[in-house]
Amino acid sequence: MSALLAIGEAMLVLRGTSPGVLMPGSQFVTSIAGAEATVAIGVARFGHTASFAGRVGDDDSGDLVRRVLAGEGVNVDHLRTDPSRPTGEMRRYARVWSTSTVTYHRRGSAASMLTADDILPAMTTDTRILHVTGITQALGDSAAAAVETVIAAARERGILVAYDVNHRTRLISVEEAGRRLARILPQIDILFCGEDELHVLQAATDSHHPIQAAGVTELIIKQSAAGATCHADDGAHHAPAVPVPLVDPVGAGDAFAAGYLSAVLDDLPVPARLTRATHFAAFTITTPGDWEGLPHHRDLALLTSPQGTTFR
């Protein structure tokens, strides 16, 4: 089926087109969003097979999620339709140019009732990486239990488990996020954590030195404009961020994870994985939207070419 299986929540997103107070006549662009869905799209754009498993409602928003993912080459055979619960929704607009306001409508959503039975059939002998984030664990008890069951099954089958902390303060407290992460931490192979999320890792490891205590094969600390550092068995590796004009920072961390995991699928060493990951993030922040700017293979040369280069 697919080399990468991403599980979690995908939702409708309404993105404001100009800054200011929400008023009658405010204009929005309709798209989809979801951390794991972004990773699946990024991996698929780079030529690898990817699947997304989860739940959406039996509504127009769920239909849009399904169409966009399928159109981007992501397998959605195991994206279930829940007839009794809605697809989640996110509204995002800029109150001022440099500040975004995000409102979620996801309580009681279809994705919050995700179960292991929804996901396990999507895990096949072709699956090399399972990717999940802390967002899914935070959606509700059913989704959190599903994550634990599916991760255990992946490890039993020799599938690499990649996990992004992706802490959302409106969904879950640091303490509860840490407790839920602690239950699965020994089974994670590749752990992504933002520098501003280290307190969640600290809560999970009950340590003032969470990097040393994490115990995963690869711990990647995303450092925003400073780049990223991977702590692996052979030491620490760092890659600087690619300097590009910032248009929209949302989705950069998920793009980074997509680039890194696509490089894992290409069997590249850690330094090359980090380089590709930072390039993925750079493409994303130069384009409005969570996933729309994710690159294809042919795009990578655009970042390293001299300014003003024209490709004919």
Side-chain angles (χ1 to χ4, degrees):
M1 289 282 289
S2 298
L4 178 129
L5 171 61
I7 67 172
E9 177 189 41
M11 67 185 88
L12 175 72
V13 59
L14 301 175
R15 188 176 70 249
T17 58
S18 58
V21 176
L22 187 63
M23 296 286 288
S26 294
Q27 296 185 352
F28 289 81
V29 172
T30 303
S31 187
I32 72 164
E36 297 91 344
T38 293
V39 170
I41 291 172
V43 168
R45 281 194 180 184
F46 227 66
H48 294 286
T49 53
S51 293
F52 180 80
R55 281 193 187 193
V56 292
D58 185 14
D59 47 34
D60 289 343
S61 300
D63 292 343
L64 179 63
V65 167
R66 192 180 302 276
R67 289 199 305 272
V68 170
L69 289 173
E72 289 293 330
V74 176
N75 184 294
V76 291
D77 288 348
H78 297 280
L79 178 57
R80 306 302 186 198
T81 298
D82 187 330
S84 61
R85 295 179 178 85
T87 304
E89 180 180 317
M90 178 178 76
R91 186 175 66 227
R92 177 161 67 91
Y93 65 96
R95 178 63 181 84
V96 294
W97 278 114
S98 60
T99 304
S100 291
T101 298
V102 179
T103 303
Y104 294 104
H105 300 280
R106 66 202 326 175
R107 187 179 300 277
S109 69
S112 70
M113 299 306 297
L114 190 66
T115 70
D117 289 339
D118 295 326
I119 302 165
L120 288 173
M123 197 180 296
T124 69
T125 55
D126 295 325
T127 307
R128 292 179 55 189
I129 299 174
L130 170 72
H131 180 67
V132 66
T133 78
I135 295 172
T136 304
Q137 278 192 301
L139 291 176
D141 292 340
S142 179
V147 167
E148 293 184 26
T149 299
V150 170
I151 285 178
R155 286 304 297 265
E156 289 176 1
R157 302 182 193 190
I159 296 170
L160 282 174
V161 176
Y163 182 96
D164 196 329
V165 172
N166 251 336
H167 183 234
R168 297 292 185 268
T169 55
R170 292 187 182 181
L171 281 179
I172 192 169
S173 68
V174 170
E175 294 74 21
E176 183 59 26
R179 282 191 289 270
R180 295 189 180 193
L181 175 56
R183 294 199 289 265
I184 59 172
L185 190 57
Q187 299 171 298
I188 296 173
D189 298 292
I190 301 172
L191 177 61
F192 299 97
C193 183
E195 200 167 38
D196 59 345
E197 298 170 326
L198 284 173
H199 52 301
V200 177
L201 190 53
Q202 181 176 330
T205 58
D206 194 26
S207 170
H208 293 295
H209 304 285
I211 292 176
Q212 291 89 337
V216 298
T217 304
E218 295 170 30
L219 171 60
I220 300 98
I221 306 299
K222 296 177 287 184
Q223 299 164 285
S224 191
T229 301
C230 176
H231 300 269
D233 292 339
D234 61 346
H237 305 266
H238 179 77
V242 181
V244 292
L246 175 62
V247 174
D248 185 354
V250 176
D254 300 318
F256 179 96
Y260 194 94
L261 295 179
S262 76
V264 171
L265 293 173
D266 284 331
D267 299 315
L268 298 182
V270 168
R273 298 176 190 178
L274 286 172
T275 297
R276 182 181 292 180
T278 57
H279 280 68
F280 266 56
F283 272 102
T284 298
I285 67 175
T286 61
T287 306
D290 292 46
W291 55 269
E292 285 85 343
L294 287 164
H296 297 82
H297 259 295
R298 62 180 180 270
D299 298 324
L300 287 188
L302 298 174
L303 287 184
T304 56
S305 300
Q307 188 172 1
T309 299
T310 299
F311 290 87
R312 302 182 187 277

